[in-house]
Coordinates of all heavy atoms in Angstrom, one line a residue:
A130 N 100.6 113.8 111.0 CA 100.0 114.7 110.1 C 100.7 116.1 110.3 O 100.4 117.1 109.5 CB 98.5 114.8 110.3
D131 N 101.6 116.3 111.2 CA 102.3 117.6 111.4 C 103.5 117.5 110.4 O 104.6 117.1 110.9 CB 102.8 117.7 112.8 CG 103.4 119.0 113.1 OD1 103.3 119.9 112.3 OD2 104.1 119.1 114.1
F132 N 103.4 118.0 109.2 CA 104.4 117.9 108.2 C 104.4 119.1 107.3 O 103.3 119.8 107.2 CB 104.3 116.6 107.3 CG 103.1 116.6 106.5 CD1 103.1 117.1 105.2 CD2 102.0 116.0 106.9 CE1 102.0 117.1 104.4 CE2 100.8 115.9 106.1 CZ 100.8 116.4 104.9
T133 N 105.4 119.4 106.5 CA 105.5 120.4 105.5 C 106.0 119.8 104.3 O 106.7 118.8 104.3 CB 106.4 121.6 105.9 OG1 107.7 121.1 106.2 CG2 105.9 122.3 107.2
V134 N 105.6 120.3 103.1 CA 106.1 119.9 101.8 C 106.8 121.1 101.2 O 106.2 122.1 101.0 CB 104.9 119.4 100.9 CG1 105.4 119.0 99.5 CG2 104.2 118.2 101.5
E135 N 108.0 120.8 100.8 CA 108.8 121.8 100.1 C 109.3 121.3 98.8 O 109.5 120.1 98.6 CB 110.0 122.2 100.9 CG 109.8 122.7 102.3 CD 111.0 122.9 103.1 OE1 112.1 122.4 102.7 OE2 111.0 123.3 104.2
R144 N 110.3 117.6 99.1 CA 110.8 117.2 100.4 C 109.7 117.3 101.4 O 109.1 118.4 101.5 CB 112.1 118.0 100.8 CG 113.2 117.8 99.9 CD 114.4 118.5 100.3 NE 115.0 117.8 101.5 CZ 115.6 118.4 102.5 NH1 115.8 119.8 102.4 NH2 116.2 117.8 103.4
I145 N 109.5 116.2 102.2 CA 108.5 116.2 103.2 C 109.2 116.3 104.5 O 110.1 115.4 104.8 CB 107.6 115.0 103.1 CG1 106.9 114.9 101.7 CG2 106.5 115.0 104.2 CD1 106.2 113.6 101.5
K146 N 108.9 117.2 105.4 CA 109.6 117.3 106.7 C 108.5 117.2 107.8 O 107.4 117.7 107.7 CB 110.2 118.7 106.8 CG 111.4 118.8 105.9 CD 112.1 120.2 106.1 CE 113.3 120.3 105.2 NZ 114.0 121.5 105.5
G147 N 108.9 116.4 108.8 CA 108.1 116.2 110.0 C 108.8 115.2 110.9 O 109.3 114.2 110.5
L150 N 107.2 111.8 111.0 CA 107.5 111.1 109.6 C 108.9 110.6 109.5 O 109.2 109.6 109.0 CB 107.2 112.1 108.5 CG 105.7 112.3 108.2 CD1 105.5 113.4 107.2 CD2 105.1 111.0 107.7
K184 N 100.6 120.5 95.5 CA 101.9 121.2 95.2 C 102.3 121.0 93.7 O 103.3 121.6 93.3 CB 103.0 120.8 96.1 CG 102.9 121.2 97.5 CD 103.5 122.6 97.7 CE 103.6 123.0 99.1 NZ 104.2 124.3 99.4

Side-chain angles (χ1 to χ4, degrees):
D131 184 18
F132 65 88
T133 59
V134 177
E135 301 171 355
R144 295 184 75 211
I145 304 168
K146 293 184 177 185
L150 283 170
K184 289 273 191 176

